Amino acid sequence: MARLTKDATRAFHALAAPEVAREFDTDLRAGLSPDEAARRLAQYGQNALTPRRKQSPLVRFALQFHQPLIYVLLAAAAVTFFLNEPVDASVILGVVLINAIVGFVQESKAVSAIEALSKTMQAEATVLRSGETHRLSQAVIVPGDVVLLQSGDKVPADLRLVHARELQVDESALTGESMPVSKKTEPLDAGVLLSDRHNMAYASTLVTHGQAKGVVVATGDRTQIGAISELISDAEELDTPLTRKIAEFSRVLTIVILAFAVAALVVAVYVRGHAWGDAFVAVVALVVGAIPEGLPAAMTIILAIGVSRMARRRAIIRKLPAVETLGSTTIICSDKTGTLTENQMTVRQITTSDMIFEVSGGGYAPEGNVLHDKHPIRPEAAPGPLVELFRSAVSCNDALVVEKENRWMVMGDPTEGALVVAAQKLGQTRDVVNAELPRLDVIPFESERGYMATLHDAGAGKPRIAYLKGGVEKTLERCVNVLGSGGQTETLDREAILTAAAEASRTGMRVLAFARRDLPAETHELEHMHVAEGMTFLGLQAMIDPPRQEAIEAVRACKAAGIHVKMITGDHALTASAIAREIGFEGEMTQDGMLRALTGQDLEEIAEERLSDVAERVAVFARVTPEQKLRLVRALQKREHVVAMTGDGVNDAPALRQANIGIAMGLAGTDVAKEAADMVLTDDNFASIRAAVEEGRGIFDNLTKFLVWTLPVNLGEGLVILTAIAIGTDLPILPVQILWINMTTGVLLGIMLAFEPMEPNTMQRPPRDPNAPILGMRLVLRMNLVAILMLVGAFGLFEWMTEIREADMRAATTVAVNVFVFIQIFYMFNCRSLTESSFRIGFFSNKPLLLGAVGMALLQLAFTYLPVMNRLFHTAPIGWREWLLIVSSGLVASLVVGIEKAIRARGTPTRRSGSRHAVGRKKLQRAR
């Protein structure tokens, strides 16, 4: 028996059926015996994918604490506890625990793509065992089993077909082929690509028509879907630009905080002579103040709000960081069928003997017109050859077009459905045609013959009519004349017809030819000899899966936003190139003015070191395998692109997982694709990707605003503590008060920035450079300015309270805390736009922010005057003079930041594209 490896299926399509039977020591008529099947089951295992080991919930929860800043906070809590401050220690631990729970819940929502793959293989199949047919669980099928297939069956394992009758298999989930594939049994060349192995049937694909018998050549992990499973697990799950930057920020901040803490401890003990216990309290305050402990929870909430916004725009986010990744996307690699196109075949052009017609409307909805010279044709004024062409297309047709749940769909072959819809646009409905020409007999379509034919009764005393539909050349070789515009037959110009068909094919359309023949009235059965010769050519119908109009607009918007769009599809290169050009893709062109499309065969011949350059220059890739999709994504990532990848099939899952953000189709997508993706589109529409990118950019803007707002607080708190240590005075704010400031303002003020409306120029600027820092120097200087204002306000009023007013320490620290909070409130309005004045953008366009400001002010009153808060946070009531100074400090800080904005706006030149990717694109365009 053949030695099975992971690549075993690649060999068997080149062998003849008897050779395959010998390789697997099986009988094609009887199959395996039950004893032999049991032996092989024990040897090779069940026909199922091996589940991958996953982290336990306990481990995943523990990993939430595996962050440098969290380690520092835990150490601070331990020191605080040993210094007999259990309340402060409990508050610190509570903050850490809340952040861990939020992260754990977020991560628990992710479901393994491998589990979804396993579900696709849970079914039954018809198997020959000792000459008898059995319905067996797919799991017990073994190599060498003989499997019987019929319409509606899911293929249970990888099969080498040994017999096939009119077999068509939907392989879109595996190869991306948009139409069902006709199968045959003859051996093929050994080097044929997966999508062209027409004598193989692969696990998880669906039989749409016909019957077949095949020998199982691979099961479980050795199948093609098993290979994809391994690709998914091997694909690197990348961090997002934001998570990478936050991780880097955390590491640097941890080192800086620890360095300052050690320095402060040394100064406090050895320079100022403080006791070790007092010095530790001061250092803990410094550490707690400098760490933005509310940042993880706040970021999660802001991203979650973004998820809700995207859901309203038909994009469901499965992994929160993906929200931000969209904003930095530089390349979108899109599938064609159903994403950029309608996924509904549509007749676009009709050719009769001497006239060319266009058909308006798209998809299966019977809406639109047949046009000649751009003018609609009324049914009663339609030329005779056009009417006859439509009658033949409806008669020689088995498809039904029905409306279900306000959606038109085809029951049967999509190509035939398109013909029915086109005829309806001229009033030739199936009911009308069938009533006039009832069908008597049919010759079903067979790929070997390349045509379908039907016999019809035209009425008493009239000849029978035979209609034929098929490929252009197969039809022309049977025709002797053509139906002219006057209703009479004319001389057939074969070259003109072939030229018209070739021109339509060159633009990516699928062309079908139609013919008829009158037969004697006594004819009751249709034979192949009846349509072998003597037929009258009626015309051509050319169809295509048309691009979505909204996709054309979306691609244009992406180009304006500096985002390149590429098509990676399993469909044919000519069709893909034509659709891409119609939509407006930009890329390398061929000499005849078409977009260059590379096939999977072309990619096999490109060396790895050249692939990144080719992937960047070429816009269309067709007939590609799952491995090649993965290679293309990685090649683009090597150029430091942030890649969004769309897909709907099992074949797309590895690339979806590897991409910086994977986008699956919600309607047509497989479970495998959805589970491997970060985002799912509920309408399978590229326009929704454009909307999601816009939302992603807006969310990143709001995250930036939050960082610009919150980090000065931590810096200001740290400066206050350092200053107190340096001059040897009491701490103006205590560790527990710092936690109060950071957590309450983060929730009631900072989170409200997530509701900030999107800025008008969001999609008119280039993508962010993923290597650029989150905060530029301009924003860093502004944050330092605000931190200094907080230091001056809080420390100045604290000294005024203790030295001049001679107030107690509790009242003085209460004033200092309120200074921090009210400067934050006023500064928050400046952060609504990082460049524009608060007055210009208006105060009332973000109502949650106004409510948050009012709520925070009320909470500070409770913090200041409620006895329970006084006990917990070591505060005391204060008078109206203190409040006047506190509010004044906030107004002054807001005025200073406003002046700084105005000065920078006046001195800033017109903004140019600062994106390294945008500059690279300009160079590329000049090179073309």
Side-chain angles (χ1 to χ4, degrees):
M1 179 177 168
R3 180 177 177 269
L4 295 184
T5 67
K6 290 181 180 178
D7 295 330
T9 55
R10 300 195 176 189
F12 298 114
H13 61 270
L15 300 179
E19 294 177 292
V20 176
R22 285 195 297 272
E23 286 281 338
F24 285 91
D25 194 18
T26 189
D27 187 330
L28 297 181
R29 291 175 295 180
L32 300 175
S33 67
D35 290 342
E36 177 61 17
R39 186 188 68 78
R40 295 188 185 187
L41 183 63
Q43 180 181 358
Y44 295 107
Q46 289 196 340
N47 180 30
L49 299 178
T50 303
R52 310 296 178 186
R53 291 187 62 184
K54 297 175 62 179
Q55 291 176 332
S56 69
L58 185 61
V59 171
R60 285 192 286 110
F61 183 71
L63 288 175
Q64 303 303 318
F65 299 91
H66 184 50
Q67 302 176 43
L69 290 176
I70 298 299
Y71 292 150
V72 176
L73 279 176
L74 290 174
V79 171
T80 306
F81 181 80
F82 284 113
L83 292 175
N84 293 321
E85 295 288 347
V87 174
D88 293 13
S90 299
V91 173
I92 297 175
L93 288 174
V95 169
V96 173
L97 186 61
I98 290 171
N99 284 330
I101 292 173
V102 170
F104 176 75
V105 171
Q106 170 194 340
E107 189 174 319
S108 296
K109 293 179 180 179
V111 182
S112 170
I114 304 300
E115 291 179 358
L117 278 167
S118 297
K119 291 178 184 177
T120 67
M121 302 190 70
Q122 297 174 359
E124 290 187 341
T126 303
V127 183
L128 273 177
R129 294 273 175 90
S130 295
E132 298 180 355
T133 60
H134 300 270
R135 288 291 291 177
L136 301 176
S137 168
Q138 183 174 294
V140 301
I141 290 176
V142 297
D145 261 328
V146 177
V147 174
L148 304 179
L149 300 174
Q150 61 181 358
S151 180
D153 285 347
K154 180 177 282 189
V155 180
D158 287 1
L159 310 178
R160 168 62 167 91
L161 300 174
V162 297
H163 171 75
R165 176 176 173 78
E166 302 176 22
L167 183 68
Q168 292 185 340
V169 180
D170 180 359
E171 294 184 338
S172 59
L174 186 65
T175 66
E177 175 71 62
S178 58
M179 301 293 293
V181 178
S182 296
K183 295 293 184 177
K184 57 186 180 181
T185 60
E186 292 79 9
L188 301 170
D189 292 337
V192 169
L193 292 176
L194 177 71
S195 55
D196 294 321
R197 296 176 193 169
H198 298 314
N199 59 9
M200 300 288 297
Y202 294 106
S204 83
T205 59
L206 183 68
V207 178
T208 60
H209 190 266
Q211 300 85 35
K213 178 193 290 187
V215 177
V216 175
V217 298
T219 59
D221 292 337
R222 300 179 183 89
T223 61
Q224 286 296 326
I225 196 174
I228 293 175
S229 169
E230 184 172 343
L231 286 174
I232 294 175
S233 56
D234 288 345
E236 182 182 358
E237 194 161 357
L238 301 177
D239 292 330
T240 71
L242 182 65
T243 55
R244 287 199 302 269
K245 287 182 173 62
I246 292 297
E248 181 182 352
F249 169 78
S250 298
R251 287 192 295 271
V252 172
L253 186 60
T254 300
I255 295 170
V256 171
I257 289 172
L258 291 177
F260 272 105
V262 171
L265 187 62
V266 170
V267 170
V269 174
Y270 294 105
V271 177
R272 288 297 173 183
H274 290 295
W276 279 96
D278 294 338
F280 269 119
V281 171
V283 169
V284 168
L286 172 63
V287 168
V288 172
I291 292 177
E293 55 279 306
L295 181 59
M299 283 184 55
T300 299
I301 294 170
I302 290 174
L303 292 174
I305 292 170
V307 167
S308 176
R309 282 185 175 181
M310 287 188 177
R312 291 195 291 269
R313 301 188 76 171
R314 300 181 178 86
I316 306 300
I317 299 295
R318 296 188 63 252
K319 300 173 183 177
L320 281 185
V323 176
E324 178 274 331
T325 310
L326 282 164
S328 56
T329 297
T330 60
I331 286 182
I332 300 175
C333 297
S334 178
D335 191 17
K336 176 184 73 69
T337 305
T339 309
L340 294 168
T341 65
E342 297 279 0
N343 196 20
Q344 297 181 348
M345 295 297 289
T346 303
V347 174
R348 282 283 189 84
Q349 182 178 298
I350 298 172
T351 304
T352 59
S353 60
D354 55 359
M355 299 178 77
I356 297 178
F357 304 89
E358 295 177 351
V359 184
S360 65
Y364 298 138
E367 300 167 356
N369 296 286
V370 180
L371 304 98
H372 181 60
D373 291 337
K374 301 189 182 302
H375 296 292
I377 297 174
R378 290 179 288 109
E380 62 273 15
L386 179 62
V387 173
E388 186 64 12
L389 177 59
F390 277 143
R391 286 158 65 94
S392 69
V394 174
S395 299
C396 195
N397 195 314
D398 290 326
L400 293 175
V401 180
V402 297
E403 186 179 15
K404 287 187 177 180
E405 300 177 354
N406 297 320
R407 184 167 176 252
W408 289 92
M409 55 194 303
V410 167
M411 311 275 294
D413 185 87
T415 302
E416 292 190 336
L419 298 173
V420 171
V421 173
Q424 284 183 285
K425 294 175 182 178
L426 200 69
Q428 297 297 316
T429 65
R430 180 174 287 284
D431 291 341
V432 169
V433 174
N434 286 350
E436 296 178 0
L437 298 170
R439 182 189 289 186
L440 300 176
D441 199 11
V442 60
I443 297 176
F445 175 85
E446 292 185 5
S447 57
E448 291 81 3
R449 295 188 177 91
Y451 67 84
M452 173 184 179
T454 52
L455 179 67
H456 299 269
D457 183 358
K462 295 182 179 180
R464 306 290 199 201
I465 299 176
Y467 286 124
L468 180 140
K469 172 189 69 187
V472 179
E473 294 184 0
K474 292 279 188 182
T475 303
L476 278 178
E477 67 187 22
R478 291 167 166 75
C479 295
V480 294
N481 50 34
V482 61
L483 184 63
S485 56
Q488 305 298 319
T489 58
E490 298 175 356
T491 303
L492 182 65
D493 188 343
R494 298 178 187 273
E495 290 303 318
I497 294 171
L498 289 173
T499 300
E503 181 63 26
S505 297
R506 196 179 72 84
T507 60
M509 289 193 280
R510 180 178 183 183
V511 184
L512 290 177
F514 300 83
R516 64 165 285 172
R517 183 184 182 187
D518 291 346
L519 297 174
E522 61 273 12
T523 306
H524 296 285
E525 295 183 355
L526 190 62
E527 304 289 345
H528 289 289
M529 63 179 183
H530 292 142
V531 293
E533 57 184 4
M535 303 203 74
T536 298
F537 185 80
L538 299 177
L540 305 173
Q541 293 201 51
M543 65 191 70
I544 199 169
D545 179 11
R548 295 175 181 260
Q549 288 302 310
E550 56 268 37
I552 296 175
E553 295 297 324
V555 169
R556 186 180 298 123
C558 286
K559 285 162 58 178
I563 302 171
H564 270 305
V565 183
K566 297 182 182 294
M567 181 189 294
I568 303 179
T569 178
D571 215 339
H572 293 279
L574 195 61
T575 304
S577 178
I579 290 293
R581 185 180 182 187
E582 186 172 351
I583 290 175
F585 276 43
E586 291 181 347
E588 195 170 281
M589 308 293 289
T590 61
Q591 291 183 346
D592 58 356
M594 296 289 288
L595 270 173
R596 183 186 179 194
L598 290 182
T599 65
Q601 189 71 52
D602 297 327
L603 291 176
E604 287 291 321
E605 299 170 2
I606 296 175
E608 199 67 34
E609 59 270 16
R610 289 187 53 237
L611 186 59
S612 292
D613 179 61
V614 172
E616 187 146 25
R617 287 188 290 106
V618 176
V620 182
F621 300 89
R623 308 296 282 174
V624 292
T625 65
E627 294 92 340
Q628 291 166 341
K629 290 186 179 184
L630 192 59
R631 282 184 67 205
L632 285 170
V633 171
R634 285 174 172 164
L636 291 168
Q637 288 171 337
K638 284 182 180 179
R639 288 291 181 96
E640 298 185 358
H641 282 293
V642 178
V643 181
M645 174 77 193
T646 75
D648 56 8
V650 174
N651 61 315
D652 298 314
L656 289 174
R657 186 174 176 84
Q658 173 68 35
N660 299 88
I661 177 165
I663 305 171
M665 303 298 109
L667 295 177
T670 61
D671 287 343
V672 178
K674 294 174 188 175
E675 297 301 338
D678 305 292
M679 184 174 89
V680 179
L681 301 183
T682 60
D683 60 353
D684 293 12
N685 194 336
F686 187 87
S688 296
I689 302 175
R690 180 260 176 199
V693 169
E694 184 178 31
E695 287 289 350
R697 289 187 172 190
I699 289 163
F700 183 82
D701 288 346
N702 290 345
L703 278 172
T704 304
K705 293 170 187 177
F706 174 81
L707 291 172
V708 171
W709 172 82
T710 193
L711 293 180
V713 182
N714 301 108
L715 181 58
E717 290 164 345
L719 288 175
V720 167
I721 303 302
L722 279 175
T723 303
I725 294 173
I727 66 177
T729 188
D730 293 319
L731 296 181
I733 46 177
L734 303 176
V736 70
Q737 293 170 343
I738 291 173
L739 285 174
W740 165 267
I741 295 171
N742 293 353
M743 294 307 295
T744 56
T745 58
V747 172
L748 287 177
L749 300 181
I751 299 303
M752 301 309 162
L753 288 170
F755 297 98
E756 191 62 33
M758 204 174 304
E759 296 187 24
N761 67 338
T762 299
M763 289 298 281
Q764 278 75 53
R765 62 189 191 223
R768 294 191 325 274
D769 185 341
N771 291 323
I774 298 178
L775 304 174
M777 184 55 65
R778 175 174 59 87
L779 294 178
V780 170
L781 292 175
R782 181 182 300 168
M783 290 189 300
N784 287 328
L785 173 63
V786 175
I788 292 172
L789 290 172
M790 289 180 171
L791 167 65
V792 172
F795 207 97
L797 287 182
F798 175 80
E799 289 295 307
W800 177 75
M801 287 286 290
T802 55
E803 297 297 329
I804 298 176
R805 296 291 304 278
E806 297 182 351
D808 65 16
M809 287 299 301
R810 286 176 173 256
T813 58
T814 303
V815 169
V817 169
N818 278 301
V819 168
F820 266 92
V821 171
F822 275 83
I823 288 180
Q824 280 185 278
I825 292 174
F826 284 97
Y827 176 52
M828 175 183 62
F829 288 95
N830 277 293
C831 291
R832 292 188 56 204
S833 173
L834 300 178
T835 55
E836 298 291 337
S837 164
S838 303
F839 296 99
R840 180 170 294 182
I841 62 176
F843 282 96
F844 301 103
S845 57
N846 188 342
K847 291 179 181 177
L849 187 141
L850 291 173
L851 293 174
V854 172
M856 192 66 228
L858 293 174
L859 199 57
Q860 282 308 111
L861 291 175
F863 173 83
T864 304
Y865 294 108
L866 286 182
V868 64
M869 304 294 278
N870 297 154
R871 287 194 302 271
L872 286 174
F873 294 100
H874 315 294
T875 59
I878 57 177
W880 65 270
R881 290 185 183 87
E882 287 80 6
W883 281 115
L884 183 62
L885 292 171
I886 289 168
V887 174
S888 297
S889 67
L891 285 170
V892 169
S894 178
L895 181 62
V896 171
V897 173
I899 293 172
E900 181 264 346
K901 272 190 188 181
I903 293 172
R904 289 192 179 277
R906 187 174 301 174
T908 302
T910 302
R911 184 169 159 184
R912 295 176 300 171
S913 170
S915 168
R916 182 166 46 79
H917 293 290
V919 174
R921 278 189 288 273
K922 291 175 183 176
K923 290 180 180 177
L924 182 62
Q925 289 165 357
R926 286 198 296 268
R928 291 176 189 146

